[in-house]
Amino acid sequence: MPEIKAPRGTLDVLSDQSYKWQYIEKKAAATAIKFGCREVRFPTFEDTNLFQRGVGDTTDIVQKEMYTFEDKGGRSITLRPEGTASVVRQCSEHGLFGGLMPLKLFYFISAFRYEKPQAGRFREFHQFGVEVFGPSDPNADVEIITLADSFLKELGIKAQLYINSIGCPVCRKKYQDALKEYFESRKDDLCETCKGRLERNPMRILDCKSPVCQGIGENAPLITDFLCEECEAHYNVLQSELTAGGISFTKDPRIVRGLDYYTKTVFEFKDPVTGLAILAGGRYDGLVHEIDGKANVCGLGFASGMERLVSTMEREGLSFGEEPKPKAFIACIGEKGAAAARKIVYSLREKGIYAEFDIMGRSLKAQMKYADKIGAQYTAVLGDNEVDTGKTNLKNMSTGEQTEMSLCDISDGKF
Ligand code: HAM
């Protein structure tokens, strides 16, 4: 055991597990592409201001959880705690908000939050995310939820969808006033962070992880009682269209989400066993303007935690497809055999076939044991005699059946 271990709250994906991640990523990309999204990549770290302004400086993420440091040039840098703000920054910087709409994007990222590590909660975690820019219509909310639903169904995951509307700045104002009045009466019991939030953003108290603040929040006024006409209508269309599309959901007026940028629709797909959100998102109509300064473009999206997807699928015994296994292992005896085995394997690989040969200088017995362990479908042994005659026996490892074949046919993958 090495003295230096992986940092707390991080995860190693070992080589015999990575196919599970690849399986999910492949399904995620295929689903996103089917819905017209294209992949984007962006830096792991950004100017700290981006998240302070984007995610919101009264959120837990910004106040307590960001990995922020000064670089050697004296700039304040933050390891991204999520992807949405970066995607908006990227599109703004490259002038894409003035171009063809809708703009539909997806990404795979690692994200960093200094949270208390526990089941399903990491300090470095990975997300598959989707962001769509342009549409203000609630049908776009349905589209993005449908994308999320298709993705989870594609994996076989049965998650429960919870939706809410958290209004717009117009209705939010009245709601914040009502919340302030409510929490003011319990001010002394709130945690220190929430006391500070009372003035600046009382809605954030509803998202506090302290059990005392959560308890107080249980009887707080609900945003859905404060929605303006437009937000109410938007929420109603969302519900009727989800129903029309056969997507079942539960309304949960207590979802506020942990990021400040949301407006109107918010949603979470929860694992019914752990109660954790495996995918979550919503609409953010003010974020582009907040970051870009000029463009007024609506946005919406979601992100799904890869670690949570993997562990839900493992627990439910869902398939991750097949772990890649070699079609052939070409064993050898002696130098002539080794050279021929290498040549055959290279030729098979050129034809796109996964094949292996010995690179450890092992005995024939050890080579065959290894071939069996890695699950090779076929094996063949090449020694001086086989090289001279140009023929060898190809063994089907699952049936034990042996067929004599020319080395040329084996090289051509004719088995
Ligand atoms: P979020 O709810 O903070 O939203 O994270 C989205 C998902 O990432 C969660 O539902 C969960 O599956 C996973 N996740 C979050 N934190 C952790 C953690 N500490 N450990 C493991 N998994 C975690 C966002 O990040 C928004 N950017 C989503 C979005 C995109 N909204 C609109 N567009």
Side-chain angles (χ1 to χ4, degrees):
M1 193 81 94
E3 211 177 296
I4 302 172
K5 300 213 176 85
R8 202 163 129 76
T10 63
L11 182 83
D12 281 323
V13 178
L14 301 183
S15 63
D16 61 351
Q17 297 295 309
S18 54
Y19 74 101
K20 296 179 180 175
W21 288 63
Q22 287 164 358
Y23 178 80
I24 296 174
E25 284 164 3
K26 229 164 132 183
K27 294 276 184 198
T31 310
I33 288 168
K34 255 194 313 202
F35 277 75
C37 306
R38 295 294 173 262
E39 190 183 353
V40 283
R41 299 182 188 207
F42 42 89
T44 308
F45 56 84
E46 299 267 5
D47 184 324
T48 301
N49 285 315
L50 177 67
F51 303 115
Q52 279 172 344
R53 274 173 45 194
V55 173
D57 57 10
T58 51
T59 58
D60 259 11
I61 295 180
V62 171
Q63 288 193 318
K64 301 178 183 167
E65 297 170 359
M66 293 208 306
Y67 282 87
T68 298
F69 59 96
E70 199 174 280
D71 74 4
K72 289 187 168 43
R75 304 167 193 91
S76 181
I77 293 291
T78 294
L79 299 185
R80 61 185 171 213
E82 59 109 45
T84 312
S86 297
V87 174
V88 173
R89 197 265 314 133
Q90 178 185 79
C91 294
S92 166
E93 196 169 328
H94 295 270
L96 303 181
F97 291 129
L100 186 67
M101 291 284 156
L103 191 54
K104 302 198 250 179
L105 310 167
F106 73 97
Y107 53 86
F108 296 104
I109 57 165
S110 51
F112 307 85
R113 296 182 194 172
Y114 193 78
E115 294 195 82
K116 212 165 150 202
Q118 47 187 270
R121 185 165 289 155
F122 296 87
R123 287 183 175 166
E124 182 189 23
F125 57 98
H126 299 79
Q127 288 184 336
F128 157 54
V130 172
E131 312 293 349
V132 172
F133 298 100
S136 57
D137 195 273
N139 279 303
D141 308 39
V142 178
E143 171 87 341
I144 203 94
I145 292 175
T146 306
L147 198 172
D149 185 68
S150 312
F151 164 60
L152 295 175
K153 284 200 176 119
E154 189 70 39
L155 297 177
I157 292 178
K158 290 192 180 72
Q160 281 163 350
L161 169 63
Y162 295 86
I163 62 168
N164 191 22
S165 173
I166 57 167
C168 64
V170 177
C171 34
R172 193 89 55 81
K173 171 82 184 69
K174 278 191 228 141
Y175 181 53
Q176 295 271 40
D177 290 344
L179 275 183
K180 204 165 146 193
E181 199 182 313
Y182 172 80
F183 284 120
E184 200 76 61
S185 62
R186 308 286 305 271
K187 188 174 177 178
D188 294 343
D189 300 326
L190 294 174
C191 76
E192 286 312 305
T193 318
C194 284
K195 278 184 188 139
R197 287 168 169 160
L198 195 50
E199 279 309 312
R200 294 177 60 208
N201 192 354
M203 223 170 124
R204 286 272 66 92
I205 303 174
L206 297 171
D207 188 47
C208 180
K209 292 191 180 94
S210 136
V212 178
C213 298
Q214 276 178 9
I216 299 171
E218 265 166 31
N219 296 317
L222 297 172
I223 177 72
T224 35
D225 294 329
F226 291 80
L227 294 181
C228 64
E229 220 171 289
E230 191 200 324
C231 290
E232 178 102 49
H234 190 102
Y235 195 30
N236 287 338
V237 174
L238 171 72
Q239 293 172 54
S240 56
E241 290 303 311
L242 282 177
T243 306
I247 295 180
S248 49
F249 60 86
T250 305
K251 289 201 278 175
D252 181 355
R254 292 189 187 282
I255 298 179
V256 287
R257 309 278 298 120
L259 306 101
D260 266 354
Y261 47 62
Y262 292 110
T263 51
K264 297 182 179 156
T265 308
V266 287
F267 59 91
E268 294 180 347
F269 282 86
K270 283 192 183 167
D271 181 324
V273 177
T274 61
L276 290 173
I278 44 181
L279 185 155
R283 174 172 278 282
Y284 47 87
D285 289 345
L287 183 63
V288 170
H289 192 259
E290 176 69 40
I291 290 174
D292 183 272
K294 281 201 201 100
N296 255 319
V297 174
C298 297
L300 64 165
F302 67 79
S304 181
M306 290 290 295
E307 290 78 2
R308 294 185 188 179
L309 290 167
V310 171
S311 67
T312 299
M313 288 177 69
E314 282 176 343
R315 190 197 63 224
E316 295 298 317
L318 297 172
S319 166
F320 289 97
E322 287 292 303
E323 204 178 345
K325 300 240 162 78
K327 175 117 192 247
F329 184 91
I330 311 295
C332 64
I333 309 166
E335 271 177 36
K336 243 163 104 180
R342 184 172 53 232
K343 219 169 132 197
I344 290 179
V345 165
Y346 283 3
S347 156
L348 289 171
R349 288 175 183 163
E350 261 174 36
K351 292 180 173 56
I353 296 169
Y354 170 17
E356 292 208 45
F357 64 103
D358 176 53
I359 54 169
M360 293 286 289
R362 286 187 172 127
S363 70
L364 181 61
K365 198 173 154 203
Q367 288 182 48
M368 297 312 282
K369 213 166 143 188
Y370 176 75
D372 193 40
K373 271 201 180 141
I374 62 172
Q377 285 175 50
Y378 293 91
T379 56
V381 181
L382 298 188
D384 289 356
N385 189 32
E386 285 76 13
V387 176
D388 292 343
T389 59
K391 282 183 188 157
T392 188
N393 281 332
L394 189 76
K395 184 175 174 185
N396 181 326
M397 294 294 276
S398 48
T399 61
E401 192 188 334
Q402 304 214 26
T403 321
E404 194 183 61
M405 272 184 90
S406 75
L407 301 191
C408 282
D409 281 352
I410 297 179
S411 289
D412 286 344
K414 291 184 181 158
F415 55 93

